[in-house]
Amino acid sequence: MTEAAQAIISFVDLKMTFKNRVLYEHLNLDIQKGDFFCLLGSNGTGKTTLIYLLLGLLTPSDGKIWLNPEMMTKNDIGYVPQFRNIEENYPLSIENFVALKLSHSLRPWLSRSERLQVRQALEKTNLWQKRKQIMGKASGGEKQRAYLAQAILNQPKLLILDESTASLDQQSKYDVLDLVAKLNRENQTTIIFISHDWPLVKKYGKHYLELFPGKFKYGKVADLAEN
Ligand SMILES: Nc1ncnc2c1ncn2[C@@H]1O[C@H](COP(=O)(O)OP(=O)(O)OP(=O)(O)O)[C@@H](O)[C@H]1O
C-alpha cells in the first residue's frame, strides 16, 4: 500500500479567510492513520477554525478537507474540549456523566451493550473505581478524564483534543496524555492535539502543523527546534 493510501485526512489546497483576513491558503497536507498530530500556533492563528472545517461546521473559502471514507466517517470523530471546570454542586456521578452521551429521548435507560461501552471507557481512562464520584467534586484530572471517556465511548478513529490539558496541573496533564498515547499506540487511534505546551508536544507528538499569521509550516516533531 502506498503512503498516500494511508492518509486518513487530506487538506487539499485549503484556504480560509474571514472578511479580508487570510488564515491559511494553499494548505496541502496529509494526516496519516495512527499519527499523533500536533496543531500549534499562537492565539488567533486559526487552530480551532481548522477543526471546525474538519468537522464540517465551517465551509472553506477554497479547497477542501477530505476524510478517507474507507477509514472513517464524521461519526468516528471524538472531541475533547478545552478544560472547563464544573460547578461543585453538579449532581451527576462520573459514570452518569460519561453515559450522558448515550442518552436517548425514547428510552431513558441504557442497554446491556451500552453499559458495557461505558464500563470499557471508564476502565480505559482509569475511572472505574471512581465512577460513583460526583462529577462536580472530582479533581481537575478526573473531570478531564471523564470528558476523555465520553469522547472514546464510540471508539473513535480520530480523537481531537482541543487544548484539553491546558489548565491541569503537571501530573494530571501527563496522566491524561499517557492514556491518549496508549489509545494511539494500541488502537491506532489518530490523534489531533491542539496545544501550546512544548514539553507535551515533544514527548507525545509525531507530526505537527504550526500556524502563523497568514502562513504555516509542518513536519516531524523530532525535527522541530526547541525555539
Ligand atoms: N465566525 C467567525 N467570523 C469572523 N472571524 C472569526 C470567526 N471565527 C473565528 N474568527 C477569527 O479567526 C481567527 C482565528 O480564530 P481561531 O479561534 O480559529 O484561532 P485559534 O488559533 O484557535 O486561537 P486560540 O489559540 O485563541 O484558541 C481569529 O482572529 C478569530 O477572531
Side-chain angles (χ1 to χ4, degrees):
M1 202 178 274
T2 63
E3 210 175 65
Q6 289 291 327
I8 188 165
I9 300 162
S10 294
F11 299 101
V12 184
D13 217 23
L14 187 72
K15 177 173 180 178
M16 190 60 185
T17 57
F18 282 122
K19 302 216 171 95
N20 291 328
R21 186 169 158 220
V22 179
L23 290 181
Y24 14 80
E25 60 184 332
H26 305 304
L27 176 58
N28 289 289
L29 174 67
D30 288 345
I31 298 180
Q32 308 295 322
K33 181 173 190 280
D35 201 353
F36 199 119
F37 188 88
C38 299
L39 187 48
L40 315 173
S42 44
N43 296 126
T45 47
K47 302 179 297 295
T48 303
T49 300
L50 195 66
I51 298 304
Y52 285 176
L53 288 165
L54 198 156
L55 296 172
L57 300 173
L58 285 173
T59 309
S61 309
D62 207 350
K64 63 174 182 177
I65 300 183
W66 180 76
L67 305 183
N68 188 332
E70 287 171 19
M71 293 189 190
M72 69 164 184
T73 66
K74 291 243 164 69
N75 295 332
D76 293 316
I77 302 177
Y79 182 74
V80 187
Q82 289 199 6
F83 180 74
R84 279 171 286 151
N85 214 349
I86 284 178
E87 232 194 281
E88 213 176 289
N89 296 326
Y90 191 81
L92 280 186
S93 68
I94 287 179
E95 183 175 32
N96 287 338
F97 173 77
V98 173
L100 263 187
K101 178 117 176 274
L102 297 171
S103 56
H104 316 269
S105 48
L106 291 176
R107 182 163 58 73
W109 62 90
L110 298 182
S111 68
R112 183 191 287 232
S113 71
E114 287 170 335
R115 284 203 306 274
L116 182 65
Q117 254 179 296
V118 172
R119 178 173 184 144
Q120 285 171 341
L122 289 169
E123 284 175 347
K124 280 188 187 147
T125 48
N126 296 338
L127 284 172
W128 179 246
Q129 307 298 336
K130 295 268 182 181
R131 65 192 182 280
K132 302 290 179 212
Q133 167 79 268
I134 295 300
M135 190 66 180
K137 296 203 186 322
S139 71
E142 287 162 357
K143 284 175 191 149
Q144 199 57 354
R145 278 186 282 139
Y147 277 105
L148 177 61
Q150 261 194 350
I152 65 169
L153 264 184
N154 299 325
Q155 303 183 321
K157 307 271 192 328
L158 172 67
L159 184 61
I160 300 170
L161 295 106
D162 190 352
E163 297 191 54
S164 314
T165 57
S167 47
L168 297 180
D169 63 50
Q170 281 306 101
Q171 188 56 48
S172 305
K173 282 184 190 183
Y174 283 92
D175 288 348
V176 171
L177 265 294
D178 280 345
L179 292 166
V180 172
K182 193 162 182 249
L183 290 171
N184 173 248
R185 209 171 43 242
E186 294 179 357
N187 302 356
Q188 282 279 292
T189 309
T190 306
I191 310 295
I192 297 182
F193 177 49
I194 303 181
S195 180
H196 291 107
D197 195 323
W198 172 239
L200 291 182
V201 169
K202 198 167 143 192
K203 174 159 190 207
Y204 298 98
K206 293 179 189 162
H207 292 91
Y208 73 93
L209 169 65
E210 184 167 14
L211 300 176
F212 301 94
K215 30 181 209 179
F216 56 84
K217 69 172 184 174
Y218 55 83
K220 287 186 185 161
V221 170
D223 297 338
L224 192 60
E226 193 133 342
N227 297 306

